[in-house]
C-alpha cells in the first residue's frame, strides 16, 4: 500500500502523559500536513512540514504540541502532558509539492484517534 | 484568512434520490478538493477540482472559481454515500495549506 501511513490508529493516554503520533507520507511526497478533528467537527490545520523544516505552524497550540519531519523516518506529532481536551482524531496528509509552487492534491492517512482518560 | 462555507449542513435522502452540495469560499483559490468522510472516519478523495467540471460515476463536481463556489452532485444516491462531505480550499496568497469547510452530513435511507 503506497498510501499515507499513520500509527498508532488508536491511542489511549492518561492525563499528564505524552502522546506520539507518526506519519509516513506517500512515496515520492516530501510535504506533510497535520490536521486535528474534534468530535462532530471539521478538520483544523495544525502544521505544515517539509524534510527537516517547519514551514507553517500557525495552527499549533503554543504549548505542549510539537512536530518534526526528520531527514530519515516518519513525521512525528508530539503532545506533552495531555489533557482531556486533546482527545481527537489527528490526520496526516501528504502532497507532492508545496511552497514555491502550489500544494497540489492532498492525500490523507486513516488518522490516529487519541483518547485521554 | 479564507472562509469556507458549506450548505446544507445536514441532508437526509431516500435511496435513489439526487442531491447538490454547495461550497462557497471568500477569496481566490489555487486548489479545491472534495472529500467524503465515511462512517468509519476515513477521508476519501472525491475530486481535485480547482476549476471546471469533472465526473466520476454517479458523482460530479463543478468549480466556478471566478464566482467563488463549487458544487458536488450526487445522483442515484446509495446508502454507502452516507457520511460527511468536506470541501477544502487552498488560497492564492501564499498560504500553502488547505482550509476545510464545516461539512455536509448526508444520510441516505434504504
Amino acid at each position: 500500500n503506497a498510501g499515507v501511513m499513520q500509527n498508532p490508529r488508536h491511542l489511549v493516554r492518561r492525563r499528564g502523559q505524552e502522546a506520539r503520533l507518526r506519519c509516513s507520507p506517500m512515496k515520492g511526497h516530501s510535504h506533510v500536513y497535520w490536521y486535528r478533528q474534534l468530535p462532530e467537527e471539521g478538520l483544523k490545520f495544525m502544521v505544515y512540514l517539509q524534510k527537516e523544516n517547519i514551514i507553517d505552524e500557525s495552527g499549533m497550540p503554543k504549548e505542549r504540541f510539537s512536530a518534526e519531519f526528520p531527514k530519515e523516518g516518519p513525521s512525528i506529532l508530539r503532545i506533552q502532558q495531555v489533557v482531556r481536551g486533546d482527545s481527537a482524531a489527528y490526520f496526516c496528509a501528504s502532497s507532492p509539492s508545496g511552497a514555491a509552487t502550489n500544494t497540489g492534491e492532498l492525500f490523507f492517512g486513516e488518522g490516529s484517534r487519541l483518547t485521554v482518560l | 484568512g479564507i472562509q469556507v462555507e458549506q450548505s446544507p449542513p445536514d441532508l437526509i435522502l431516500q435511496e435513489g434520490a439526487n442531491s447538490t452540495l454547495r461550497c462557497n469560499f471568500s477569496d481566490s483559490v489555487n486548489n479545491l478538493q472534495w472529500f467524503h468522510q465515511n462512517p468509519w472516519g476515513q477521508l476519501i478523495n472525491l475530486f481535485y477540482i480547482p476549476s471546471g467540471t469533472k465526473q466520476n460515476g454517479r458523482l460530479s463536481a463543478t468549480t466556478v472559481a471566478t464566482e467563488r463556489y463549487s458544487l458536488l452532485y450526487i445522483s442515484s444516491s446509495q446508502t454507502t454515500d452516507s457520511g460527511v462531505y468536506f470541501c477544502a480550499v487552498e488560497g492564492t496568497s501564499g498560504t500553502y495549506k488547505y482550509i476545510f469547510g464545516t461539512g455536509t452530513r448526508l444520510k441516505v435511507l434504504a
Side-chain angles (χ1 to χ4, degrees), chain A residues 35 37 56 103-104 106 110, chain B residues 33 37 42 45 90 97-98:
Chain A
Y35 285 79
Q37 185 177 33
D56 183 342
T103 304
L106 280 189
E110 295 193 336
Chain B
Q33 285 186 247
Q37 187 168 38
Q42 296 173 311
N45 287 32
E90 181 200 9
K97 60 183 180 248
Y98 278 81

Side-chain angles (χ1 to χ4, degrees), chain B residues 47-94:
Chain B
F47 293 102
Y48 171 63
I49 187 165
S51 64
T53 298
K54 290 186 177 180
Q55 179 152 8
N56 184 4
R58 296 181 296 104
L59 302 182
S60 64
T62 295
T63 296
V64 185
T66 53
E67 297 189 19
R68 300 183 183 170
Y69 73 88
S70 183
L71 302 174
L72 177 69
Y73 306 96
I74 305 174
S75 63
S76 304
S77 58
Q78 301 175 358
T79 56
T80 52
D81 295 332
S82 296
V84 184
Y85 289 80
F86 289 107
C87 167
V89 305
E90 181 200 9
T92 58
S93 49

